[in-house]
Amino acid sequence: MATEGSRLLDFFIGIHDPRVIGRTDHDLVDILVMALCAVMAGAEGWDDIEDWGIENEAMLRQYLRLRNGIAGHDTIRRVFEVLDPKEVERRFADWVSHVCAGLGGRVIAIDGKSVRGSGSVQRGIKALHVVSAYATEVGVMLAQQRCEEKSNEITAIRALLPFLALKGAIVTIDAMGCQRAIAQTIVTQGGDYLLSVKDNQPKLHEAIQEFFAIAQAEDFRHLKPQVSETLDKGHGRLETRRCTVVAAPAYLEELARWKDVRALVKIEARRELGAKVETETRYAITSLTPNAGEILRAARLHWGIENGFHRCLDVAFREDASAIRLRNAAANFALLRRFALNLFRLDKSSTKSLPKKRKAAAWNVNYVVELLNLRPLQEI
């Protein structure tokens, strides 16, 4: 972890300070490092960060200048409100691309999540919504793009893709991201896509449904389908998935404007819990060559983003309960959680779960120092 922590602080130091030069009592890097340490240890707001800093001031002075002591909660809040989230997002993506270069893993899931507590119906404030790119096989978030007030996930995904190193990767996106421009960008950047198709692309969805219906009625004559199945048991539940992949037919007009569509995908899921049986059928298009096993694995990894990423933010970091509503502050605080989550996930010295690692950070300040590779001032 030493290299990763050191590089993280280098990127923190490079963040532009928007405050008036010569009229600040606290260095920006001091506030950012203290805030990240506090969030790793359980802080959920500005007061928590200040309190953590006061309790650990003696330790922090070994690593930070703290030329006017610990910044107050109002100062911390104001700093996070004036910081440009777009720059912090860029710094985050640069740091992750550096530390994750050798981690391996090919599947990148892109999905959106709302920070529910950041909204207020009474005040007419919409909840902050962010789109994240998640390296599913290593459990690390690669980059984040917030949705602007009058924009949507499609625009955010298009803004997010240039931050990602996609060469050799499989990008999986739900139906919202099933857009021709997004498919084009992924292929142009050297990646492959697996895009869910639903009613937001009605003609394409209908054409694929009809294609598979006719093909199955004729027992896939002359089509040479690839089929892969999985079976999962646990907690009294039996879940089966069947993935059928067929090379994209040249005669299907609806595919003509999609970049490099090589296969059509049908995934049938059946979930049994006691006497209750649920079934679901999903369709997708992909630039991958027909390989049912690989495509089903990528689809399953995408579905895991809910438990491996979104649920962790809500359970371990209580993200949905956060009542920080100022736009920049909410976005920047969300990034602090993701910095912390990545640092815990990148720590291979312990096999503890994420909640236990966060408890360890709360109980043992040296663990935080180790993860961030903080160096005493005299050694810098």
Side-chain angles (χ1 to χ4, degrees), residues 12-22 24 26-29 31 67 79 82-84 87:
F12 268 12
I13 292 170
I15 293 176
H16 171 66
D17 189 343
R19 299 173 296 172
V20 178
I21 297 175
T24 59
H26 305 277
D27 294 339
L28 178 62
V29 68
I31 293 175
R67 49 191 175 88
V79 166
V82 298
L83 275 178
D84 181 4
E87 181 179 0

Side-chain angles (χ1 to χ4, degrees), residues 3-76:
T3 301
E4 288 88 330
S6 176
R7 290 298 300 172
L8 173 55
L9 294 191
D10 289 344
F11 285 111
F12 268 12
I13 292 170
I15 293 176
H16 171 66
D17 189 343
R19 299 173 296 172
V20 178
I21 297 175
R23 298 184 61 183
T24 59
D25 294 328
H26 305 277
D27 294 339
L28 178 62
V29 68
D30 289 0
I31 293 175
L32 292 176
V33 170
M34 183 178 72
L36 176 57
C37 290
V39 168
M40 293 174 71
E44 296 178 359
W46 318 121
D47 290 342
D48 289 349
I49 295 172
E50 178 187 6
D51 292 344
W52 186 91
I54 292 171
E55 292 295 327
N56 294 280
E57 182 174 359
M59 179 279 293
L60 288 171
R61 284 191 177 277
Q62 299 177 52
Y63 309 101
L64 305 175
R65 290 178 63 197
L66 297 182
R67 49 191 175 88
N68 286 294
I70 300 298
H73 59 273
D74 283 333
T75 297
I76 298 168

Side-chain angles (χ1 to χ4, degrees), residues 6-187:
S6 176
R7 290 298 300 172
L8 173 55
L9 294 191
D10 289 344
F11 285 111
F12 268 12
I13 292 170
I15 293 176
H16 171 66
D17 189 343
R19 299 173 296 172
V20 178
I21 297 175
R23 298 184 61 183
T24 59
D25 294 328
H26 305 277
D27 294 339
L28 178 62
V29 68
D30 289 0
I31 293 175
L32 292 176
V33 170
M34 183 178 72
L36 176 57
C37 290
V39 168
M40 293 174 71
E44 296 178 359
W46 318 121
D47 290 342
D48 289 349
I49 295 172
E50 178 187 6
D51 292 344
W52 186 91
I54 292 171
E55 292 295 327
N56 294 280
E57 182 174 359
M59 179 279 293
L60 288 171
R61 284 191 177 277
Q62 299 177 52
Y63 309 101
L64 305 175
R65 290 178 63 197
L66 297 182
R67 49 191 175 88
N68 286 294
I70 300 298
H73 59 273
D74 283 333
T75 297
I76 298 168
R77 173 184 53 77
R78 286 194 294 268
V79 166
F80 274 80
E81 174 56 19
V82 298
L83 275 178
D84 181 4
K86 292 182 179 179
E87 181 179 0
V88 183
E89 287 164 354
R90 286 194 296 270
R91 294 287 179 174
F92 180 94
D94 289 344
W95 168 64
V96 175
S97 66
H98 174 82
V99 300
C100 293
L103 287 180
R106 294 188 62 215
V107 179
I108 298 174
I110 295 180
D111 199 13
K113 179 185 184 301
S114 292
V115 182
R116 299 186 186 282
S118 64
S120 172
V121 176
Q122 291 80 5
R123 299 180 185 180
I125 301 174
K126 291 183 178 180
L128 173 71
H129 191 80
V130 295
V131 173
S132 302
Y134 182 68
T136 58
E137 291 138 304
V138 293
V140 170
M141 189 190 112
L142 302 175
Q144 168 183 303
Q145 179 72 37
R146 69 171 176 171
C147 294
E148 301 296 342
E149 287 287 338
K150 297 182 180 180
S151 186
N152 55 34
E153 276 197 16
I154 297 171
T155 304
I157 292 171
R158 294 181 65 178
L160 178 68
L161 289 173
F163 290 109
L164 304 174
L166 299 184
K167 188 173 182 180
I170 302 171
V171 180
T172 63
I173 313 178
D174 281 338
M176 177 63 75
C178 186
Q179 304 289 326
R180 289 189 292 273
I182 290 173
Q184 171 80 49
T185 300
I186 293 169
V187 172

Side-chain angles (χ1 to χ4, degrees), residues 189-245:
Q189 291 183 215
D192 283 297
Y193 58 79
L194 177 61
L195 305 178
S196 294
V197 180
K198 293 184 179 178
D199 289 336
N200 63 319
Q201 293 285 351
K203 292 183 179 180
L204 179 62
H205 187 232
E206 182 180 357
I208 296 174
Q209 278 185 311
E210 289 182 356
F211 172 82
F212 274 104
I214 295 171
Q216 285 182 291
E218 297 181 353
D219 198 26
F220 290 96
R221 185 175 53 185
H222 308 307
L223 291 178
K224 299 179 181 179
Q226 288 254 338
V227 179
S228 180
E229 292 187 355
T230 61
L231 175 65
D232 292 323
K233 296 180 180 179
H235 306 288
R237 182 180 62 188
L238 178 66
E239 188 163 359
T240 58
R241 297 182 183 89
R242 179 183 175 89
C243 177
T244 304
V245 181

